[in-house]
């Protein structure tokens, strides 16, 4: 690596995270203790999180320094590139300029390592050397396994059973980095045993796996819990993406009209969008922020705004967010990373206040966009990220219709090299769309906790 490259990297990469809680006109209502239904205090959370992350969860300080040890590991892949998708513009014959930020260059293959590293680090600093977590399709499990490995920590991953069998290579990745990977529901926890007693064939879900990991961490003094999305501190860490992208665009004197990211639990969207929301809130900059989600799991576009649990067993605090209900079983779409019933309280509040927008997309349109993008740019995108691609394509075509030279940037949150079986299904014509039936949504929402 040349010296100039290193100097350039260090200059471009942010050294502070941006905390949007400093600037939001309305903060989300506080999380509630699941038993007492009173606002949770730091002592409620200290059984499973280190103090530093608890502080980051609630602070209203605008800028938070990134510790040097974390920056050093970020430099393994940061700054990640911003590229102009000229070939895609040409294929669409649009006057719009389309840029993308590429987080697939991280060793984990997705943006999730941006928070896995600081989460492992702050636990290690407080003497916790074992973390328990859950993973759906496996991206978060891989990221946390790598991060724990960097700091010499142990990692136990409850992996949703259906993915455990369908995504064997992500499991191998976690095992390479020394993690113990367990199919969830498992016999290791009360939550898991209860589900198995009711249904020995349960394929598992993210909500069940979260219950297992939280229970594991709560029961053991040497173990904390780590969550890959949804919580404020997770979104905080991910703001390196948007801060960095803004700097990179500014070098070319570019500022976007539209910023797009896919949204499951909201950390990818928050990470990309919040630094631009900052401009909108504090400088009145006119920029549209769009969260792209699956129509099979339409939390932001059709969910209910209110309190709900983060997991199936009701062990987590009640969060103030858009939700489809914890009993909601998203169909087996190929974007495993977007199959969560709830969403980040910060993202939810901003949507409710009309500061950001959300749109939903069917998976066949998403895979069409993914293949077009791959053919133009040579990168096979993750199915999750492809929701942002489809959204960008629609905006670029709308710009063409209106004859406007809009500038669009989207975050390509990860590559799809371990999702090739999904592409196989798509090419074989086997993918179907699952727009959520209104009746099913009503039934799930009828079971929301009464607060
Ligand atoms: C997990 C994941 C997402 C969704 O992230 P959230 O932050 O939960 O919205 C998007 N893209 C990729 C590649 C992922 O792995």
């Amino acid at each position: 690596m040349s010296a100039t490259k290193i100097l350039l990297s260090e200059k471009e990469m942010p050294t502070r995270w941006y905390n949007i809680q400093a600037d939001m006109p309305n903060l989300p209502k506080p999380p509630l203790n699941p038993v007492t239904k009173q606002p949770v205090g730091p002592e409620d959370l200290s059984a499973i999180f280190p103090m530093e992350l608890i502080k980051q969860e609630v602070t209203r300080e605008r800028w938070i320094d990134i510790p040097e040890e974390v920056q050093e590991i970020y430099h393994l892949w940061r700054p990640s590139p911003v590229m102009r998708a000229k070939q895609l513009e040409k294929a669409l014959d649009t006057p719009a300029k389309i840029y993308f930020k590429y987080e697939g260059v991280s060793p984990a293959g997705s943006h999730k390592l941006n928070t896995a590293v600081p989460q492992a680090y702050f636990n290690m600093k407080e003497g916790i050397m074992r973390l328990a977590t859950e993973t759906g399709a496996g991206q978060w499990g891989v990221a946390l396994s790598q991060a724990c490995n960097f700091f010499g920590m142990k990692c136990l991953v409850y992996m949703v059973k259906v993915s455990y069998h369908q995504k064997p290579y992500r499991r191998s990745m976690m095992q390479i980095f020394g993690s113990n990977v367990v199919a969830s529901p498992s016999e290791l926890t009360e939550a898991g045993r209860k589900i198995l007693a009711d249904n020995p064939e349960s394929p598992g879900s993210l909500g069940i796996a979260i219950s297992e990991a939280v229970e594991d961490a709560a029961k053991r003094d040497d173990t904390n819990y780590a969550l890959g999305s949804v919580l404020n501190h997770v979104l905080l860490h991910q703001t390196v993406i948007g801060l960095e992208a803004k700097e990179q665009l500014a070098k070319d004197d570019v500022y976007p009209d539209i910023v797009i990211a896919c949204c499951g639990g909201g950390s990818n969207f928050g990470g990309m969008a919040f630094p631009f929301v900052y401009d909108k809130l504090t400088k009145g900059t006119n920029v549209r922020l769009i969260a792209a989600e699956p129509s099979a799991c339409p939390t932001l576009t059709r969910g209910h705004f209110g309190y709900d649990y983060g997991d199936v067993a009701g062990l987590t605090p009640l969060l103030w967010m858009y939700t489809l209900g914890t009993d909601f079983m998203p169909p087996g779409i190929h974007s495993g990373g977007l199959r969560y019933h709830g969403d980040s309280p910060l993202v939810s509040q901003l949507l409710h206040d009309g500061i950001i927008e959300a749109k939903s997309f069917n998976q066949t349109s998403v895979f069409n966009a993914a293949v077009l993008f791959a053919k133009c740019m040579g990168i096979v995108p993750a199915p999750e990220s492809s929701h942002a691609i489809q959204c960008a394509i629609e905006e670029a075509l709308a710009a063409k219709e209106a004859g406007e030279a809009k500038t669009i940037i989207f975050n390509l949150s990860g590559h799809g090299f371990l999702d090739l079986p999904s592409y196989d299904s798509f090419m074989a014509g086997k993918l179907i769309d699952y727009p959520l039936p209104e009746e099913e949504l009503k039934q799930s929402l009828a079971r929301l906790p009464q607060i």
Side-chain angles (χ1 to χ4, degrees):
M1 215 188 302
S2 73
T4 41
K5 174 103 191 281
I6 292 168
L7 286 176
L8 191 67
S9 305
E10 287 182 355
K11 222 172 124 209
E12 267 181 11
M13 193 184 84
T15 55
R16 299 182 303 179
W17 293 302
Y18 168 57
N19 175 22
I20 199 162
Q21 294 187 74
D23 298 307
M24 287 171 73
N26 300 302
L27 288 176
K29 290 190 191 175
L32 303 181
N33 181 302
V35 180
T36 65
K37 310 282 194 304
Q38 294 303 307
V40 296
E43 59 300 338
D44 291 312
L45 299 172
S46 63
I48 58 169
F49 291 115
M51 235 29 224
E52 192 57 38
L53 293 180
I54 295 173
K55 269 195 232 154
Q56 290 177 6
E57 197 58 25
V58 296
T59 181
R60 296 200 70 181
E61 215 170 298
R62 182 175 287 119
W63 301 104
I64 311 285
D65 287 333
I66 305 176
E68 264 177 38
E69 295 94 322
V70 171
Q71 288 190 40
E72 243 169 61
I73 295 179
Y74 274 179
H75 276 301
L76 293 175
W77 74 98
R78 305 214 72 86
S80 66
V82 164
M83 290 183 252
R84 174 133 177 228
K86 277 198 177 162
Q87 292 81 347
L88 179 62
E89 293 169 13
K90 210 167 154 201
L92 299 173
D93 187 28
T94 173
K97 290 194 188 108
I98 306 176
Y99 291 83
F100 66 98
K101 174 85 169 151
Y102 188 33
E103 290 295 305
V105 296
S106 98
S110 79
H111 70 293
K112 291 199 171 70
L113 200 55
N114 296 325
T115 184
V117 171
Q119 287 195 47
Y121 171 80
F122 289 119
N123 274 288
M124 183 269 294
K125 285 303 258 190
E126 294 180 29
I128 294 289
M129 296 305 280
R130 183 177 180 271
L131 292 181
T133 196
E134 73 290 329
T135 196
Q139 290 103 327
W140 169 243
V142 169
L144 194 70
S145 298
Q146 292 183 332
C148 284
N149 150 79
F150 288 137
F151 296 112
M153 302 163 67
K154 288 200 176 118
C155 185
L156 175 60
V157 183
Y158 291 92
M159 184 171 189
V160 176
K161 194 172 276 170
V162 52
S163 304
Y164 184 90
H165 295 297
Q166 278 176 3
K167 310 254 173 189
Y169 299 125
R170 287 234 170 75
R171 179 181 11 125
S172 316
M173 283 278 280
M174 292 182 247
Q175 288 164 339
I176 288 172
F177 293 95
S179 287
N180 183 6
V181 188
V182 175
S184 163
S186 77
E187 294 285 348
L188 298 187
T189 65
E190 250 171 66
R193 287 191 292 271
K194 203 166 149 218
I195 299 278
L196 287 174
D198 288 346
N199 175 13
E201 304 302 318
S202 167
S205 74
L206 210 47
I208 294 170
I210 294 177
S211 299
E212 290 208 273
V214 168
E215 183 185 324
D216 190 300
K219 272 197 200 144
R220 291 178 56 145
D221 281 347
D222 67 343
T223 302
N224 270 346
Y225 169 69
L227 188 62
S229 191
V230 181
L231 298 179
N232 303 348
H233 67 268
V234 182
L235 277 69
L236 172 78
H237 302 152
Q238 292 293 357
T239 57
V240 287
I241 304 172
L243 291 167
E244 207 174 81
K246 218 159 69 163
E247 282 283 305
Q248 289 164 311
L249 289 177
K251 275 191 166 177
D252 273 350
D253 278 328
V254 172
Y255 192 89
D257 299 297
I258 305 173
V259 177
I260 298 168
C262 68
C263 193
S267 77
N268 173 59
F269 174 77
M272 179 68 180
F274 286 1
F276 294 95
V277 176
Y278 169 71
D279 295 341
K280 188 167 180 167
L281 291 177
T282 64
K283 302 174 200 161
T285 308
N286 193 9
V287 51
R288 288 176 60 205
L289 301 309
I290 310 176
E293 66 180 10
S295 50
C297 190
T299 315
L300 293 175
T301 48
R302 291 175 61 197
H304 169 80
F305 188 52
Y307 275 115
D308 197 6
Y309 297 101
D311 69 327
V312 168
L315 298 176
T316 71
L318 289 148
L319 297 178
W320 181 251
M321 61 184 177
Y322 279 97
T323 177
L324 299 168
T326 47
D327 291 343
F328 173 69
M329 268 281 185
I333 53 165
H334 287 269
S335 301
L338 304 182
R339 291 175 68 221
Y340 185 60
H341 68 275
D343 221 300
S344 142
L346 295 177
V347 170
S348 297
Q349 186 69 48
L350 289 167
L351 179 69
H352 188 72
D353 290 344
I355 294 163
I356 62 162
E357 305 165 43
K359 291 190 171 175
S360 70
F361 301 90
N362 282 321
Q363 68 173 352
T364 50
S365 76
V366 164
F367 272 86
N368 272 314
V371 170
L372 174 63
F373 181 82
K375 285 180 169 168
C376 291
M377 308 309 299
I379 298 171
V380 177
E384 291 86 357
S385 321
S386 305
H387 289 73
I389 299 176
Q390 172 59 8
C391 184
I393 289 175
E394 285 189 8
E395 290 301 329
L397 293 176
K400 177 175 163 181
E401 191 85 0
E404 292 172 340
K406 295 271 188 216
T407 299
I408 300 168
I409 184 167
F410 67 87
N411 190 35
L412 191 63
S413 49
H415 68 63
F417 298 157
L418 293 182
D419 301 295
L420 296 181
S422 303
Y423 279 87
D424 282 344
S425 300
F426 171 67
M427 290 185 290
K430 286 190 200 146
L431 285 202
I432 40 170
D433 291 330
Y434 303 93
L436 175 60
E438 191 58 36
E439 198 41 44
E440 199 180 314
L441 176 62
K442 258 200 214 142
Q443 281 175 15
S444 177
L445 292 180
R447 294 189 294 267
L448 283 177
Q450 301 300 313
I451 306 297

